[in-house]
Amino acid sequence: MSSMESSNLTIETLKRMFEKEKRFDGRNLLEHRKIDLEFNVSNKAEGSARIRIGKTEVIAGVKLQVGEPYPDSPDKGNLMVSGDLLPLASPRFEMGPPDFYAIELPRLVDRAIRECGMIDMEKLVITPKEKVWTIIIDIYPINDDGNLIDAATFAAVAALKSTTFPELNEEGKIDYDKKTNKKLPLSKETSPIPLTFYKLGNSLVLDPTREEAESCEVRISFGISIWNKQLMINSCQKSGAVPFSQEEIENMMQIIPKKFDELNEKLKKFF
Amino acid sequence: MTKETKELKRPSGRGLTEMRQMKAKVGVVPNADGSAMFTFGNTIAIAAVYGPRQLHPQHMQDPSTGILRVNYDLLSFSVSERKKPGPNRRSQEISKMTEFALLPVLDIKDFPNTVIDVQIYIIQADAGTRTAGINAASLALAHAGIPMKNLICSVALGKLDKELIIDLDKDEEDFEGGEGPTDFPLAKIANSDQFTLIQLDGKIQPERVKEIIDLANKACEKIYEVQKKALKEVIEQ
C-alpha cells in the first residue's frame, strides 16, 4: 500500500492523469476491468473458485472439518479465513512470516463474509455444544495486478457457493472421497460485494492495476450486501496514513449503491 | 421486534448519544519520554512513548524521516477469557491502524533514522479499547514533545438495531436482534473534517453514515476538551 515501490515520476504522472479523469488503460476512474469467474478449479477441495479481474488472478478453496464450537458460540459452526501472499504471484511478495498486508487481507475477507450473515452458522451444528462443521477458506493470489482485496473476497464467496459437504461415516469422521450434493447453508438474498477505493491526491479510483495501487496514498475497503431488502455496509477498513475527509466519505456513500448494482449485474451470469 | 426497537434502552441506561465518563491523565509512566492514560467508563488504556531514538536493526532505518512504531495489546487478564500474552492478528492489525490514525498529525521528518515507539496497553477492557488507546497515545506523543500539528480524537460509534449510539460498551457489542450491533470506530484530527481511522463491523445503510459522522464530530469535541485539560494539568504541576 505504501508508495515506496513507485517512483515519484509515476506517482506525479498518475496524480495529474487522475485529476483529468484519465487512466493508462483508458478506463474511467470508477470503472472495473473485465471480471471472469470459474468454479471447481481444484477437485479435492469441498469448493473452489478462480477469479480474474484484468490480469489479477486469485484462487480460493474451501475445506470442511469437524471440530468443537468456540466457547463464546456453542450453538454455531466455525469460519476461518486464511491466506498467503505467495512469492509466485508478485515480485513484491517474499517467503517468511506474514507482513501486515498478508495479515490484513484474510481478515478483511473474513469480516465481509461474517458480518453480512450469508452463512447460517447455526445450521453447521452436528451435535449441539460438542461437534460442529468448521469452514476454512484459503486464499491464494496467483498473479497480483492490483485490487487484490476485492478479488480475494469475490473468490472466497464464489468458493463458498460451490461448496458441498463430504460424507460423515458411522464414527462421525469425514470421508473426503465421498462427496454429497448437499450445499452449505447460505442465504439466497445476502452475498457480499467488496469495494475498495484508492486515493491519490484528491482522486478516488476503483479496481487499480498494481502500478496504480502502489502509487496511491491510502485505501478504504468496504463489504456491502443486501439484507432484508436494504443495502448495508457490513465491513469497512481504512488502510494508510493519509486521512479521508468527511466529504470524501459522503461521496463514497453515493457511489456504493450504484457500483453494488453494477457489480451484481456483472456477476449474475456466473451463478 | 419493532416494539423493542421503539423502546430501545441501552443496557447501561445511558442516553443514545451519551458517552461514558472519560478520564485522562498525562505522565503515568515516569520512565517514558511521554505517557498518558485515557478511560471510557470501564475501559482503561495507558500509552507510553519512547523516542525519537536510534532504530535497530539498521536496515529498517529511513534516512528521509523518523518512523512511528505502535504496539497495541490487551493485558492477559483485561478480558473475560484470559488472553494469551503476546501479539495476535487482531492486535497487530489494531497496532497498524493506530499508526495510520496518528501519523497524519506527526511531523517526524526532522528525525531521520530514528523510531518513535508507542506502547499501548489495555488494563481493563469494556469495548472501545482501540479508540481509548488512540486517545491515550495522542496525549502521550504530545507529552513527549513530538512535533504535532494537532491532537487525534477517537471514539466508537455504533448502531443497535436501528438506533445510532455513541461509545459502545461490551454489552452493546454483544447485542442481538433486529439489525444487530454495528461497531464503527473512528478517529479524526481535532477541529477538522479529516478522518484518520475508519473501521466498521455490522450492518449500516450507506445513507446513515453521514448521521454517524456528525455524531462523531460532536463526541470528538468533548474528547478534545478532556485531552486538553489533561495536558494543561501536567504543565501546571
Side-chain angles (χ1 to χ4, degrees), chain B residues 38-121:
Chain B
F38 192 95
T39 74
F40 282 124
N42 285 325
T43 293
I44 307 172
I46 53 168
V49 171
Y50 289 90
R53 59 185 177 183
Q54 199 83 21
L55 174 58
H56 295 289
Q58 211 170 1
H59 68 88
M60 283 175 69
Q61 292 180 1
D62 187 338
S64 70
T65 180
I67 287 171
L68 178 69
R69 186 165 58 186
V70 172
N71 177 48
Y72 155 102
D73 210 345
L74 299 160
L75 295 189
S76 53
F77 48 73
S78 67
V79 280
S80 306
E81 289 262 338
R82 178 173 184 266
K83 189 217 162 251
K84 205 167 139 245
N88 57 25
R89 282 167 181 248
R90 173 184 175 274
S91 70
Q92 287 178 71
E93 183 179 88
I94 293 176
S95 298
K96 200 72 190 172
M97 291 302 130
T98 303
E99 274 175 33
F100 291 151
L102 295 167
L103 264 170
V105 293
L106 297 184
D107 205 355
I108 50 177
K109 288 253 185 312
D110 292 339
F111 308 111
N113 297 325
T114 69
V115 63
I116 296 165
D117 275 306
V118 178
Q119 293 288 339
I120 303 171
Y121 283 93

Side-chain angles (χ1 to χ4, degrees), chain B residues 97-226:
Chain B
M97 291 302 130
T98 303
E99 274 175 33
F100 291 151
L102 295 167
L103 264 170
V105 293
L106 297 184
D107 205 355
I108 50 177
K109 288 253 185 312
D110 292 339
F111 308 111
N113 297 325
T114 69
V115 63
I116 296 165
D117 275 306
V118 178
Q119 293 288 339
I120 303 171
Y121 283 93
I122 307 303
I123 293 182
Q124 188 172 285
D126 185 19
T129 61
R130 80 194 64 190
T131 54
I134 288 169
N135 291 332
S138 174
L139 283 173
L141 285 161
H143 183 222
I146 309 294
M148 289 169 85
K149 299 181 187 83
N150 209 331
L151 288 173
I152 296 287
C153 308
S154 183
V155 64
L157 285 294
K159 186 163 139 295
L160 298 189
D161 190 14
K162 293 180 173 60
E163 298 287 352
L164 300 184
I165 58 166
I166 302 188
D167 186 21
L168 281 77
D169 56 37
K170 186 76 177 80
D171 283 342
E172 292 169 336
E173 273 190 354
D174 297 339
F175 171 86
E176 281 181 31
E179 293 176 10
T182 299
D183 182 20
F184 197 167
L186 290 169
K188 63 179 285 196
I189 302 174
N191 301 322
S192 82
D193 67 344
Q194 299 292 313
F195 286 82
T196 65
L197 171 87
I198 311 169
Q199 285 184 296
L200 185 157
D201 282 302
K203 291 185 181 71
I204 184 163
Q205 295 82 350
E207 62 271 19
R208 298 202 75 182
V209 169
K210 182 183 173 356
E211 260 177 275
I212 228 167
I213 290 177
D214 288 338
L215 288 176
N217 287 334
K218 284 191 197 119
C220 285
E221 281 172 24
K222 290 183 192 151
I223 295 165
Y224 185 55
E225 290 308 316
V226 173

Side-chain angles (χ1 to χ4, degrees), chain A residues 71-196:
Chain A
D72 60 350
S73 57
D75 303 314
K76 287 178 180 171
N78 304 325
L79 170 70
M80 271 171 59
V81 183
S82 88
D84 204 352
L85 301 182
L86 306 177
L88 163 95
S90 167
R92 304 276 187 259
F93 300 159
E94 286 171 23
M95 299 294 286
D99 64 2
F100 171 68
Y101 190 40
I103 292 171
E104 188 189 29
L105 177 84
R107 286 181 62 84
L108 290 173
V109 175
D110 181 302
R111 298 217 287 263
I113 290 173
R114 193 183 298 273
E115 297 294 331
C116 76
M118 73 176 293
I119 309 174
D120 188 343
M121 304 299 281
E122 286 169 17
K123 290 206 178 122
L124 295 173
V125 174
I126 301 167
T127 318
K129 297 186 174 40
E130 280 173 24
K131 243 167 76 174
V132 297
W133 288 102
T134 296
I135 303 174
I136 305 174
I137 309 175
D138 283 294
I139 299 163
Y140 296 102
I142 301 298
N143 191 65
D144 174 18
D145 191 27
N147 205 14
L148 211 49
I149 297 162
D150 293 4
T153 311
F154 280 128
V157 171
L160 281 175
K161 290 189 179 180
S162 73
T163 297
T164 53
F165 284 97
E167 242 173 55
L168 285 180
N169 66 19
E170 282 138 29
E171 294 142 42
K173 292 232 168 71
I174 299 176
D175 187 344
Y176 283 107
D177 293 327
K178 285 189 186 151
K179 302 212 168 177
T180 67
N181 292 323
K182 202 179 150 218
K183 296 256 183 185
L184 286 177
L186 302 183
S187 160
K188 288 206 168 57
E189 185 197 21
T190 303
S191 176
I193 293 278
L195 202 58
T196 303

Side-chain angles (χ1 to χ4, degrees), chain A residues 230 233-234 236-238 244, chain B residues 195-196 198-199 204-205:
Chain A
Q230 298 177 78
I233 298 175
N234 302 117
C236 162
Q237 183 148 299
K238 161 189 166 285
F244 282 98
Chain B
F195 286 82
T196 65
I198 311 169
Q199 285 184 296
I204 184 163
Q205 295 82 350

